[in-house]
Amino acid sequence: MGTPEFAVGTLSALVEGGYNVVAVVTQPDKPVGRHGSVLQPSQVKQYALKHDIPVLQPEKMKDEDFLAHLRSFNADLQVVVAFRMLPEVVWAMPRFGTFNVHAALLPQYRGAAPINWAVINGETRTGVTTFFLDHDIDTGRIIKQKTFDIPEDANVEYVYDGLMRLGAELAIETIDGIISGNGVIASLPQEEMIETGETLHHAPKIFKETCEIDWTKTVKQCHDFIRGLSPVPGAWTNIILPDGRKSVIKIYKAQATDCPVTAEDKDKDDGSTARLIVKKNRLYIPASDYLLEILDIQLAGKKRMPAQAFANGIR
């Protein structure tokens, strides 16, 4: 059960590993195009159809026709990767239960966007977790975990690709353990993994307004925020161009500098509009402490470009 490319990593590992994947459950086709007249199948569906695997696309997970169809496959085990919350009637259906592959080291980063938030928060390590589903989101008993290091300049795409491969490996290990134990495998309640005084970080779904950069934060926090949203959906900000015009830009790549912000640099139109500074054909925006150098930029209605190319065009 899954929808995006991240879930294809595990599905392909199962198929190529010779496991008997009897069906795939994914989201309904998504309307795309200017008028929504074209239906785009999920990446999981595309992969399943290429390998002649039956595909179920329920609008509602409690639909009786869907439940009857799902039950007819008589699956021993269900594997969930980047899907949606399941009702008990679904996750309790297989005799060996249902487990989820989550792109974080639970109990940290429960929620829909764990990869983004780990990078945004400047984590140097994350990982993947397999856990049995229960009534609440991402709270079930943990089966296995694998860690993954996050380089200080890595963006979400790098971490996403790494965790997709790692998640597939962990799913196979978990399935093999369940098979060898005839449905029984060691698991641990998440409450036992929370240390005294430990702060749990959450990973809520990301929306457009979530992606606006807050320049009152430190240069490291701004840099991590941009990395955590690059390349998709992309961090954005309102700026004042050197000629006084205002614009909205997306920033895909930046780097922290050790250049302190001066009083002149901090000149802002208001709290949400940053001043774009051009120095020797290089772009900077002041954070609360140091200047952040902008390396990859996109103006509204324009194509993405290197910051130097943009700077060269500014008079």
Side-chain angles (χ1 to χ4, degrees):
M1 299 184 176
T3 297
E5 179 191 15
F6 191 88
V8 176
T10 296
L11 176 58
S12 63
L14 293 175
V15 172
E16 293 168 14
Y19 295 84
N20 184 21
V21 182
V22 295
V24 155
V25 182
T26 190
Q27 294 279 49
D29 294 356
K30 184 179 180 181
V32 295
R34 180 174 295 181
H35 303 292
S37 57
V38 178
L39 292 178
Q40 177 71 37
S42 73
Q43 288 163 302
V44 163
K45 179 181 179 178
Q46 294 176 47
Y47 182 93
L49 293 179
K50 287 180 181 178
H51 293 81
D52 299 319
I53 303 171
V55 177
L56 284 68
Q57 297 178 273
E59 291 281 353
K60 296 180 180 180
M61 299 302 292
K62 291 184 179 181
D63 179 80
E64 289 298 332
D65 290 339
F66 162 68
L67 293 175
H69 196 180
L70 183 62
R71 198 174 288 113
S72 70
F73 290 104
N74 196 31
D76 297 296
L77 178 69
Q78 290 173 165
V79 183
V80 180
V81 188
F83 194 44
R84 57 199 283 192
M85 188 173 181
L86 303 180
E88 183 174 3
V89 67
V90 173
W91 56 256
M93 190 179 293
R95 66 188 183 113
F96 291 163
T98 301
F99 77 83
N100 186 294
V101 180
H102 187 74
L105 297 174
L106 292 174
Q108 292 290 354
Y109 295 103
R110 295 168 176 162
I115 305 177
N116 299 92
W117 286 107
V119 179
I120 288 171
N121 289 337
E123 302 285 2
T124 57
R125 190 183 75 157
T126 184
V128 287
T129 302
T130 52
F131 68 96
F132 285 115
L133 266 66
D134 63 11
H135 294 93
D136 297 314
I137 297 178
D138 300 336
T139 59
R141 296 177 64 92
I142 289 177
I143 308 168
K144 290 178 177 290
Q145 291 187 322
K146 282 180 177 286
T147 61
F148 182 85
D149 291 332
I150 305 176
E152 62 179 13
D153 288 326
N155 65 7
V156 156
E157 185 173 45
Y158 173 89
V159 182
Y160 182 100
D161 291 344
L163 293 185
M164 181 169 62
R165 292 190 296 269
L166 200 64
E169 293 174 9
L170 193 63
I172 296 296
E173 291 180 13
T174 301
I175 291 170
D176 288 346
I178 291 172
I179 292 172
S180 64
N182 194 31
V184 178
I185 191 170
S187 60
L188 190 67
Q190 292 192 30
E191 292 74 19
E192 295 185 13
M193 301 184 68
I194 302 173
E195 298 180 5
T196 303
E198 180 181 5
T199 299
L200 293 184
H201 297 287
H202 297 284
K205 187 175 181 179
I206 289 175
F207 300 94
K208 180 181 178 181
E209 55 269 23
T210 312
C211 302
E212 183 176 8
I213 304 167
D214 180 0
W215 297 107
T216 65
K217 294 190 175 181
T218 68
V219 72
K220 182 183 185 309
Q221 289 173 317
C222 292
H223 182 217
D224 291 341
F225 187 81
I226 291 166
R227 293 191 302 123
L229 297 169
S230 179
V232 177
W236 63 274
T237 186
N238 295 292
I239 61 165
I240 304 173
L241 296 169
D243 63 6
R245 290 181 298 131
K246 293 181 181 180
S247 182
V248 175
I249 62 170
K250 279 190 175 182
I251 302 173
Y252 294 97
K253 189 175 181 181
Q255 65 182 9
T257 74
D258 57 1
C259 302
V261 173
T262 66
E264 182 182 0
D265 293 333
K266 286 187 176 182
D267 179 24
K268 294 182 180 180
D269 182 62
D270 59 53
S272 62
T273 305
R275 182 177 176 210
L276 188 66
I277 300 167
V278 183
K279 294 182 179 181
K280 297 181 180 179
N281 282 353
R282 298 170 78 169
L283 300 182
Y284 302 89
I285 295 179
S288 65
D289 50 0
Y290 298 99
L291 293 179
L292 181 73
E293 183 175 2
I294 312 304
L295 302 177
D296 208 344
I297 194 173
Q298 181 180 17
L299 268 74
K302 303 291 184 179
K303 292 183 178 180
R304 178 175 170 178
M305 70 179 80
Q308 188 172 10
F310 175 73
N312 288 340
I314 293 179
R315 298 187 179 183

